[in-house]
Amino acid sequence: MIKMIELPYPMNALEPYYSKETLELHYKILYKGYVDNTNKTHEQLENSRKNNDFTNIKCLEKNLSFFGSGVILHELFFTNMGPAIPTSPSVELMEQINKDFINYETFKKQFTQAAVNVEASGWCILVWEPRFNKLEILQCEKHQNLTLWGCIPLFVLDMWEHSYYLQYQTKRPDYINAFWNIVNWNEINKRFKNINKN
Ligand code: MN
């Protein structure tokens, strides 16, 4: 059984950029739902195997992908945010950003534009793609569509309405601009250091 992660900061720590109310709803209701449903799906899959009955396999595999990806992306998201104390990419990560996106400003612009243009509910994700040996920015519809299999997500932004609507309504760009103030590069640097680059 998987357990919810603890947030590494208090519920009001991201104010004013990400309100306490939004974070509480996001963590206590939405994220909890993904964890609970992943556990439920694991249990149902276990029962299917025990009973040798795979009648509902299509639905179960879909739920596993949806809820499971929901858990993983939310945990990356909650921990790649932090109190608005400025952090920055490590020397190593900045070198890679400069190599793959010209410079930090262009990276930030591409990430922001990709996030603004996520269709309906989804995510904006900086990944390391080992086959291409480079950083890429991806949009992700729902949690599991349009993924690039084998990639390693480094830095994610939740573009589902529940993540910003309470505070920013339809002003997606305002949410994204505010988000840049609470990016925790220390955590992203750690994730980047842990990958095996060629
Ligand atoms: Mn969310």
Side-chain angles (χ1 to χ4, degrees), residues 26 30 34 74 77 123 143 158 160 162-163:
H26 207 165
L30 279 307
Y34 289 119
H74 278 102
F77 177 64
W123 296 78
H143 303 306
D158 195 335
W160 283 57
H162 66 236
S163 184

Side-chain angles (χ1 to χ4, degrees), residues 85-192:
I85 303 158
T87 59
S88 55
S90 63
V91 173
E92 198 195 6
L93 180 51
M94 194 61 100
E95 269 173 23
Q96 198 70 47
I97 286 172
N98 290 338
K99 194 170 161 230
D100 296 333
F101 297 98
I102 303 176
N103 53 42
Y104 181 80
E105 281 313 305
T106 312
F107 153 74
K108 189 173 167 181
K109 190 166 184 191
Q110 184 179 332
F111 190 95
T112 300
Q113 286 305 308
V116 170
N117 287 289
V118 168
E119 207 167 277
S121 297
W123 296 78
C124 190
I125 309 179
L126 172 68
V127 301
W128 174 256
E129 172 45 62
R131 170 66 181 88
F132 305 155
N133 203 35
K134 73 196 288 292
L135 295 166
E136 302 269 22
I137 291 167
L138 294 176
Q139 295 174 323
C140 177
E141 290 178 4
K142 298 205 279 180
H143 303 306
Q144 75 281 38
N145 298 356
L146 308 184
T147 54
L148 187 57
W149 293 108
C151 73
I152 298 167
L154 299 173
F155 166 45
V156 307
L157 174 56
D158 195 335
M159 295 308 303
W160 283 57
E161 282 188 347
H162 66 236
S163 184
Y164 63 89
Y165 209 81
L166 207 61
Q167 191 175 358
Y168 294 100
Q169 287 84 46
T170 56
K171 296 183 201 111
R172 262 189 171 195
D174 290 358
Y175 160 59
I176 299 159
N177 286 333
F179 169 77
W180 285 108
N181 292 291
I182 48 175
V183 169
N184 179 8
W185 280 103
N186 294 339
E187 173 64 25
I188 302 157
N189 293 339
K190 212 188 304 164
R191 293 174 194 167
F192 185 65

